[in-house]
Each structure stands twice: as structure tokens, then as C-alpha cells.
Amino acid sequence: FIHGRRVLVAAAIALPDDLVTGLLVLSLLPAPFSFEMAAPLLALPLTNNERRAIMRRLVNLGLLSYNASLQLFTMHKLVRDAARLLVHNLGLPYNETRRRFAELLVLSARRLVLPLISKNRMLSARLAWSRLSVHAVQLVNWAFQEVREDMLPLYVSMAWDLMPLLSSSCSSYTLQGFCQVVLERAQFLDMTLESAQLMTVLGSLLAESAALKRADAMLRQALEYFWRELKGPHQAVARCYKELGALMLKAGKPSEASKHLQQALEMLETLYGGASTELLPVLQLQVELLRRSRKYAEAEGVVTRALGICGAAYGPNDVQVAVWKNQLAQVVRQAGRLDEAQSLAQEVLALLQGQLGSEHPRVAAQLMMLGQLAAQQGKQAAAEQTYRKALQVYQSVSGLHHPDTFNCLTSLVSLLRGAGKAAHALPLAQRCMAVKKKSLGELHPDTAAAMQVVADVMLDLGK
């Protein structure tokens, strides 16, 4: 480390100011980074060509390395640590640079990732987020050190806009702590609207962690703040009503859930109209509530409305249409109309294969549903054939040790046992057991469950 510091000191003396400044500013980036991530932090050059030239020169000096295939730059840890130590000594605007970095991250996620999520293109969204996620985690960690007033709006924006993405990169406990420290700072500064946004997000996280009483208090306080500040229909108020409805659904209070979800829906209709895709998350919760309450006719009406919205917004062959048509198949199935459900599920399979190809986890999941429907109708041979197709796709796409593959194997074993084909079920059950032993170890409860299945099949065979 001492040698690395000497290298940086020598660079500060021997190199032009633009290179030294560029090196120290780039040291703030916590992971391999792209030019697009780095460019806004380089304040001195006026054009992208000048910024690229600085980074090229740093690579030539060995202070950065570049992976051409991934188009990512890396700074050696020794150089990075020494550079960060020298940031303050050389008088660079460290906190201003952090703020620009946070702005860039939020803007990138909004423009590149959230539109993909809104179109349900989750694989593409995960790929785009993978380039930003390490940086987002670093920003979350910075908040635990200090929440500066100039950074607070950006932290609020991260929590409000990017929480579904952050949840894939940080634990729920970490994100609850992040929201709490930012909330405390916002309340200290009397930022009521920002506090309400943070309370809404924190309430949702608490609900997911089954801290229902704390979540309820948090969301109701947020709702009070929103009405006090906004004094009328607003997307933020509708979101808070939606989260409160979801909480009541989780708490087993259907009448309260229905009331809050209807309030959210009516407010969104007022703001965006009755055919807006903004309504879809609320409609999804309404369908779940109606299905739990066994109100299948009403649930079917809600799904049909959502299908119309998706078809008009995305076209009849979009994956979102397939998702909602699958919901309709599930509702119809619960209502006992199995032939109609089978027909709808087959339509969904054809649509998914057309949009995603035959080798895709969603295609496998749809094959599983078709197998379940066939088994429910007493068509054991068709069910077995469909399960085996699903298993083949899961193994090809997700691998032998993936939970989806294991669940498919388990379902197939259960089907074969029920059909009196224990001899065919035994090798599959043994395979399940071997997978669990290898991935989880012999003492894990899931391994024990898999071993019990093998024992049950052997009993079926009289062994």
C-alpha cells in the first residue's frame, strides 16, 4: 500500500492535471465500470473524445486495465485505495463527485432498466441491471456512513424508483436499514413528502418481512403525510393505497384490502384513464384477492379488463398478454372449467414459444401447468409426457441443480406414483435425492425430504 501511495504521489507530480484528476475521480467507482458510467464523473474534458483519451492514457500507464470483450475498465485495488486516500489531500470535490455518480446511476436505471421491467422483459432487465447493481450497492453503503442533505433527494429517488432492482442486489434487512437512515434524515430536515415516500417503501419491505403491525403503522402515516402535502389525487397516494391493500391481503383482511385497492384503482383511473397500463399492478392484486375469496366470476372480469389493456398497449402477441391470459386460465381452472382452461393454457404456450423460443423457463413453467391440467382431468399419459418436456427444458436452460428443475422432477415422481408406476418413479426420486445431497448436504431438511420420497417409493415397490 505504501508503494501504491508513492506511485500516486509521483503521478501527481509528473503527470498533467487532467490525468491525475481523472485517476482520482475514477477511483470512486467501486467495481469494473464502463465508459458510460465513468464519463459524467470526468468534469474537466468537454467532449467524450477527450474523456476517452484520458482513460486510454491511464490504461497505457498501467493505472487502469481494459477488458475489450466486456468493454469494462478496472482499477487495481492498491491503486484505488491509494487514490481514495489522496482525494482529500489534493482537494478534489469528493462529495460533489459522489452526487454526480448517484445521479448517473438513478438516471441510467430509469432509462435502461425500468422500461424493460414495465414491458415484462425480465431477462433483459436483469442483464441491464447487472452492469449497475454493484454501484447501487455502494451507494446504499454510503448512506450508512452519512446522509448529506444534497444527496438525500437521490437516495429518496433510489428507494422510490429502484427498490424492485435493489431487492435483487441487497438483503431486505439492509434495505430496511437504508430506508430508515434516509427517513430519519428527511424527518430531521422536515421534508414531509420525501418522508412519506420513504415510509411507503419501508412499509412494503416490512410487510414482506412479515412485520405487519409496523408496516401498517408506517403506511398509514405515509398516507396522512401524502394527503397533507398533495391535497388531491396523485400517483404517490395511489401507490400508498396499493401497498396498504397488499398488506391487508397478506394480513388476511379481505374487506379492508378490497377497499384500499379500489381507492388506488379509482385514483389511477382519474389520473391516467381507464385503459392505462398504470392500472395493471392494482388489477393483479384484485385478482389475487378475488381468487382467494373464491369469487371467480368477478376475478374473470378483472382479468379480461387487464387483457384488453395489455393488448391495446403492447399488441396481441406480447408476453404481457400471455401473462394475463395465463391468469385467466388459472381463474377458469379454479372455477372448474378444465377444458376451457386447457385451451387457454395451450394458447399461452404457443404465444410464449413464438416470443421466447422453446428453450425458456417460462415455456417450461407453462408446460408444467398443462401437465397439471391434464392430470386433473385424469389424462395421466398426457400429463407424464408434458412433465417430461418441461423437465427437458428446465435441465437445458436452468441446469440440473436449479430449484425449478427439482420441483419439476418431484412433480413427475408424484404423478408416476399416483399412476401406479413406482418402478419408473424410483430412479427419478433417487436423482432428486442425489441433487439435494450435492447442493445442500446430507443434513439439510430438503435433503431429508427427498430421502423420504425415495423411501416411500421403495415401500410402494415392497422393498
Side-chain angles (χ1 to χ4, degrees):
F1 178 78
I2 294 173
H3 176 69
R5 180 169 179 172
R6 287 174 180 167
V7 169
L8 266 293
V9 171
I13 296 172
L15 296 179
D17 287 345
D18 59 346
L19 281 186
V20 178
T21 302
L23 177 67
L24 298 183
V25 167
L26 293 175
S27 73
L28 298 177
L29 293 170
F33 51 87
S34 65
F35 172 76
E36 289 73 22
M37 288 294 295
L41 298 183
L42 299 173
L44 291 177
L46 299 178
T47 68
N48 273 348
N49 286 337
E50 291 174 301
R51 292 170 179 172
R52 288 185 188 279
I54 280 185
M55 296 180 75
R56 253 194 321 269
R57 288 158 67 194
L58 290 172
V59 169
N60 292 338
L61 289 167
L63 297 172
L64 288 180
S65 60
Y66 180 64
N67 187 319
S69 61
L70 297 177
Q71 297 185 344
L72 291 175
F73 293 87
T74 304
M75 184 179 293
H76 191 279
K77 185 179 185 299
L78 188 66
V79 177
R80 181 193 306 279
D81 290 344
R84 285 174 171 171
L85 188 62
L86 291 177
V87 163
H88 295 294
N89 296 337
L90 296 181
L92 291 179
Y94 184 83
N95 289 308
E96 175 64 18
T97 304
R98 277 190 177 186
R99 189 185 62 78
R100 291 203 307 272
F101 177 45
E103 285 176 347
L104 173 66
L105 176 77
V106 173
L107 182 63
S108 298
R110 281 175 176 167
R111 290 183 176 178
L112 300 177
V113 188
L114 294 182
L116 295 172
I117 292 177
S118 69
K119 296 178 182 178
N120 212 36
R121 296 172 58 188
M122 301 309 295
L123 288 177
S124 298
R126 280 198 290 270
L127 180 61
W129 177 245
S130 68
R131 301 287 293 271
L132 305 175
S133 61
V134 177
H135 308 293
V137 172
Q138 182 64 39
L139 287 175
V140 169
N141 291 335
W142 279 344
F144 287 102
Q145 299 170 17
E146 180 187 17
V147 180
R148 291 172 55 86
E149 186 173 351
D150 61 338
M151 285 287 289
L152 196 143
L154 289 166
Y155 282 135
V156 173
S157 183
M158 283 179 63
W160 185 253
D161 295 327
L162 308 185
M163 191 51 66
L165 301 172
L166 291 171
S167 296
S168 67
S169 304
C170 302
S171 69
S172 177
Y173 177 79
T174 298
L175 292 175
Q176 288 176 37
F178 166 71
C179 289
Q180 188 65 52
V181 297
V182 180
L183 173 60
E184 289 170 2
R185 182 64 169 162
Q187 290 177 321
F188 177 78
L189 296 170
D190 291 325
M191 301 172 71
T192 306
L193 189 57
E194 289 81 359
S195 296
Q197 289 178 291
L198 291 162
M199 285 177 172
T200 302
V201 176
L202 183 53
S204 176
L205 290 170
L206 290 169
E208 291 174 6
S209 301
L212 303 186
K213 288 185 178 180
R214 286 185 61 203
D216 183 71
M218 192 72 65
L219 289 170
R220 292 185 190 279
Q221 184 68 65
L223 201 56
E224 181 183 329
Y225 281 6
F226 277 136
W227 278 115
R228 184 193 308 169
E229 292 295 307
L230 299 172
K231 307 183 190 314
H234 192 278
Q235 183 270 344
V237 183
R239 177 169 168 177
C240 195
Y241 274 129
K242 177 183 78 71
E243 296 296 346
L244 199 51
L247 174 64
M248 294 298 104
L249 181 61
K250 194 177 185 72
K253 299 178 179 179
S255 59
E256 288 190 57
S258 178
K259 180 184 75 172
H260 294 309
L261 291 175
Q262 190 60 35
Q263 287 171 314
L265 188 64
E266 289 174 358
M267 191 168 292
L268 290 171
E269 288 171 337
T270 300
L271 294 168
Y272 302 108
S276 171
T277 56
E278 297 286 339
L279 278 59
L280 293 176
V282 181
L283 294 176
Q284 173 65 52
L285 288 169
Q286 285 190 326
V287 171
E288 185 179 346
L289 173 63
L290 292 168
R291 286 176 63 184
R292 288 191 188 184
S293 304
R294 300 186 179 182
K295 298 178 179 178
Y296 302 126
E298 292 180 48
E300 189 175 343
V302 176
V303 175
T304 301
R305 179 183 180 184
L307 267 172
I309 292 173
C310 284
Y314 306 124
N317 297 321
D318 191 84
V319 173
Q320 278 277 50
V321 174
V323 170
W324 280 100
K325 188 170 283 190
N326 202 46
Q327 287 265 17
L328 183 58
Q330 294 280 17
V331 172
V332 168
R333 175 186 178 184
Q334 286 183 290
R337 290 146 51 194
L338 298 183
D339 289 337
E340 188 178 346
Q342 183 89 16
S343 177
L344 284 167
Q346 198 67 50
E347 289 178 26
V348 173
L349 177 64
L351 200 159
L352 290 174
Q353 288 175 328
Q355 291 294 313
L356 305 175
S358 298
E359 300 286 309
H360 194 280
R362 284 195 172 182
V363 172
Q366 194 62 26
L367 286 166
M368 285 287 292
M369 181 179 173
L370 282 164
Q372 292 164 4
L373 281 165
Q376 197 171 349
Q377 293 172 291
K379 301 174 182 177
Q380 299 297 326
E384 181 182 345
Q385 183 182 14
T386 309
Y387 276 146
R388 290 189 183 277
K389 286 181 181 178
L391 181 60
Q392 185 177 358
V393 176
Y394 274 135
Q395 288 181 157
S396 174
V397 175
S398 304
L400 184 62
H401 299 283
H402 194 277
D404 289 340
T405 306
F406 177 79
N407 291 337
C408 186
L409 266 171
T410 304
S411 297
L412 183 54
V413 169
S414 179
L415 177 74
L416 291 170
R417 288 184 65 198
K421 296 182 177 180
H424 293 104
L426 182 58
L428 294 173
Q430 290 171 330
R431 190 167 148 199
C432 287
M433 181 179 68
V435 167
K436 286 300 178 185
K437 280 185 178 180
K438 186 171 182 179
S439 59
L440 300 174
E442 294 192 5
L443 300 179
H444 194 279
D446 289 351
T447 305
M451 293 172 69
Q452 184 62 50
V453 171
V454 172
D456 291 342
V457 176
M458 294 183 74
L459 283 174
D460 292 342
L461 292 169
K463 296 183 178 180

